Amino acid sequence: MPKATFFNLPREKQEHIFRHAVQEFALHPYEQASLTEIVNQAGIAKGSMYQYFEDKKDLYKYVVDKVYQHKRKFLQPVWALKDNVDFFEFASMYYRRSWHYARQHPEHHRVIVNFWDSRDDAVRDEILHEKQIRSYEFAYMLEQGFKSGVIDPRTDKEAAWFVYHAVAKALIDNFLAPDVNADSHETFINAVLSLLEQGLRPRKE
Amino acid sequence: MPKATFFNLPREKQEHIFRHAVQEFALHPYEQASLTEIVNQAGIAKGSMYQYFEDKKDLYKYVVDKVYQHKRKFLQPVWALKDNVDFFEFASMYYRRSWHYARQHPEHHRVIVNFWDSRDDAVRDEILHEKQIRSYEFAYMLEQGFKSGVIDPRTDKEAAWFVYHAVAKALIDNFLAPDVNADSHETFINAVLSLLEQGLRPRKE
DNA sequence: CCTCCATGTGACCGCCCGGTCATACAGCTT
DNA sequence: AAGCTGTATGACCGGGCGGTCACATGGAGG
């Protein structure tokens, strides 16, 4: 947690520091991100940074936390509809909204992607925490799908979770790939989700 | 490419160096792997390393190349059957065999995983190259699936490629996770592939 | 005007990194 | 014995890193 000094700062200065930290953690994963670079870009002394935060990890956790709060808020409208739509509609809305987030806030998006790819031991604990949250969220939607009958009851739940998680991560990693065509990307997301819904094997109906 | 000096070395010494390089690149991604650590562990002078290789990247490329050759050889029996089995059987055999590779050669496996997660610009070119190879291989199998009718002709090919690639990466990343139960993992792999084959939505048949 | 305390500073520390180079050595040729 | 060639060595270099610390600054309270 940041020190009291940081929260005493004018909001403007807090945000100034936050913005430059986001820039660096968007560009590099935690281990390769440079504190020196952040303070240079932000135009403050390195010593000041250590008046605000315990150490590099403290700053990093603060940044990741804030970015995740921001993204959750952005996805709120989708969650609000969770009881009015079926599993497949929900998934489609969820990923399309995530895609809009990535487009509108590419640096925040990159911070999150870097966070998930991190190998640092201390950071991995936080990742497991986030993974569990996702897991609960997804398990809830999946349960609704089973109850309402839109999902085949014979489905292996663990496998379903695994596949959706894998595809979600790949979709999200791919959002800012240089060859992604912005206009048609929603169509692509829907094609991917439709494949998961229908399967590859032809249906007799 | 390694310098001539390296290939003049007795095979035993070449392999000694290779083994310790694999260890380090299995433990850390390229950027964080330490040449100093490799030479210390291998018990040779740092200067010697630069008699054998141009620089760190040269060594890394050599290691990744050799590891990939090794894995390809291991997967050869699966490829040999590619015209005798359908797409779904092939996928199942392919991933189960990859799983065996990861169990038998965990360090080689980790080198490959680290390679795919690398962010270094120069390394990314090599990744794109490997990605294309995979892409061609997979496209071939997919085409066979379409021709023989086991895959729904309405399937979006790009989406199919994307999903299989995503799931493959997640499976492979997961092979050495601490909570993977070795005995039942083949069952799990099949459950995942079956989900891709059948889809989540119930079938009327 | 002086004190006090929160805030701000940047030179500096020890560490590790990839990479270099002058030098030594061993074996073969003459 | 001398010369040559390919191999081996580790002290050393410049640079970047996270983190520290003695000191400067400036506004509030007496």
Side-chain angles (χ1 to χ4, degrees):
Chain A
M1 231 186 25
K3 298 182 180 176
T5 312
F6 179 71
F7 294 113
N8 292 341
L9 257 36
R11 195 159 299 263
E12 202 182 301
K13 186 162 189 180
Q14 288 183 31
E15 282 166 11
H16 178 76
I17 291 168
F18 175 73
R19 261 197 308 278
H20 284 94
V22 164
Q23 265 183 34
E24 179 68 7
F25 289 124
L27 231 42
H28 307 285
Y30 171 72
E31 298 85 349
Q32 276 138 260
S34 159
L35 240 168
T36 311
E37 184 64 17
I38 295 174
V39 297
N40 286 350
Q41 290 294 328
I44 62 173
K46 197 187 255 188
S48 298
M49 209 52 146
Y50 283 85
Q51 306 269 23
Y52 309 148
F53 300 92
E54 295 293 341
D55 52 23
K56 187 186 176 185
K57 200 160 296 177
D58 190 32
L59 168 63
Y60 185 60
K61 285 185 181 174
Y62 172 74
V63 168
V64 170
D65 253 33
K66 273 208 85 169
V67 167
Y68 255 112
Q69 278 172 32
H70 186 243
K71 184 174 178 184
R72 287 228 177 76
K73 210 167 167 184
F74 191 90
L75 287 174
Q76 185 55 40
V78 173
W79 282 108
L81 290 170
K82 73 176 188 301
D83 293 318
N84 304 334
V85 297
D86 79 15
F87 175 81
F88 298 110
E89 286 171 304
F90 178 82
S92 169
M93 280 166 40
Y94 184 89
Y95 292 119
R96 275 154 49 213
R97 183 90 180 140
S98 292
W99 153 239
H100 289 149
Y101 184 78
R103 279 183 76 186
Q104 286 176 36
H105 307 283
E107 287 187 332
H108 288 219
H109 172 75
R110 286 214 162 90
V111 169
I112 291 176
V113 169
N114 280 337
F115 170 70
W116 277 88
D117 288 344
S118 172
R119 289 162 182 282
D120 184 272
D121 281 341
V123 174
R124 288 202 83 80
D125 288 346
E126 309 276 315
I127 292 176
L128 285 179
H129 179 69
E130 278 297 332
K131 228 178 177 173
Q132 271 186 345
I133 292 178
R134 288 254 204 130
S135 172
Y136 286 132
E137 289 171 352
F138 181 76
Y140 175 83
M141 288 313 299
L142 206 60
E143 211 52 58
Q144 296 293 101
F146 279 114
K147 276 186 190 147
S148 65
V150 297
I151 296 181
D152 192 314
R154 291 163 300 179
T155 306
D156 181 322
K157 286 185 192 180
E158 205 189 330
W161 185 85
F162 185 84
V163 167
Y164 267 78
H165 191 273
V167 170
K169 188 167 185 327
L171 276 174
I172 288 171
D173 280 357
N174 207 44
F175 279 164
L176 296 185
D179 56 338
V180 165
N181 181 326
D183 293 333
S184 64
H185 201 63
E186 284 201 34
T187 314
F188 177 70
I189 292 174
N190 281 333
V192 166
L193 293 174
S194 156
L195 198 156
L196 297 187
E197 179 181 349
Q198 301 291 336
L200 275 183
R201 201 176 272 282
R203 287 174 177 261
K204 302 176 188 166
E205 44 193 299
Chain B
M1 231 184 26
K3 297 183 180 176
T5 310
F6 179 70
F7 294 113
N8 292 342
L9 257 36
R11 196 160 298 263
E12 202 182 300
K13 185 161 187 180
Q14 288 182 33
E15 282 165 10
H16 178 77
I17 292 167
F18 175 73
R19 261 197 308 277
H20 284 94
V22 164
Q23 266 183 33
E24 178 69 7
F25 289 124
L27 232 43
H28 306 285
Y30 172 73
E31 297 86 349
Q32 276 139 260
S34 158
L35 240 169
T36 310
E37 183 64 18
I38 295 174
V39 296
N40 286 350
Q41 290 294 329
I44 62 173
K46 197 187 256 187
S48 298
M49 209 50 147
Y50 283 86
Q51 304 270 24
Y52 308 147
F53 300 92
E54 296 293 342
D55 52 22
K56 186 185 177 185
K57 200 161 293 174
D58 190 32
L59 168 63
Y60 185 61
K61 285 184 181 175
Y62 172 74
V63 168
V64 170
D65 253 34
K66 273 210 83 170
V67 168
Y68 254 112
Q69 278 172 33
H70 186 243
K71 184 174 180 186
R72 286 226 179 77
K73 211 168 166 183
F74 191 91
L75 287 174
Q76 185 56 39
V78 173
W79 281 109
L81 290 171
K82 72 177 189 299
D83 293 319
N84 304 333
V85 298
D86 79 14
F87 176 80
F88 299 111
E89 286 172 303
F90 178 81
S92 170
M93 281 164 40
Y94 184 88
Y95 292 120
R96 275 154 49 213
R97 184 92 181 136
S98 293
W99 153 240
H100 289 149
Y101 184 78
R103 278 183 76 187
Q104 286 176 36
H105 307 283
E107 286 187 335
H108 288 218
H109 172 75
R110 285 215 164 89
V111 169
I112 292 176
V113 169
N114 280 338
F115 170 71
W116 278 90
D117 287 345
S118 172
R119 291 163 181 282
D120 184 272
D121 281 341
V123 174
R124 287 201 84 79
D125 288 345
E126 309 276 317
I127 292 176
L128 286 178
H129 179 68
E130 277 298 333
K131 228 176 178 174
Q132 270 186 346
I133 292 179
R134 290 255 202 127
S135 172
Y136 286 132
E137 289 171 351
F138 181 76
Y140 174 83
M141 288 313 299
L142 207 61
E143 211 51 57
Q144 295 294 99
F146 279 114
K147 277 186 189 147
S148 64
V150 297
I151 297 181
D152 192 315
R154 290 163 300 180
T155 306
D156 181 322
K157 287 183 191 180
E158 205 188 332
W161 185 86
F162 184 85
V163 167
Y164 268 77
H165 192 273
V167 170
K169 190 169 183 324
L171 277 174
I172 288 171
D173 281 356
N174 208 44
F175 279 164
L176 295 184
D179 56 339
V180 166
N181 180 327
D183 293 332
S184 64
H185 201 63
E186 285 201 33
T187 314
F188 177 70
I189 292 173
N190 281 333
V192 166
L193 293 175
S194 155
L195 198 157
L196 297 187
E197 179 181 349
Q198 302 292 335
L200 277 182
R201 200 176 273 281
R203 287 175 177 258
K204 301 175 188 165
E205 43 195 300

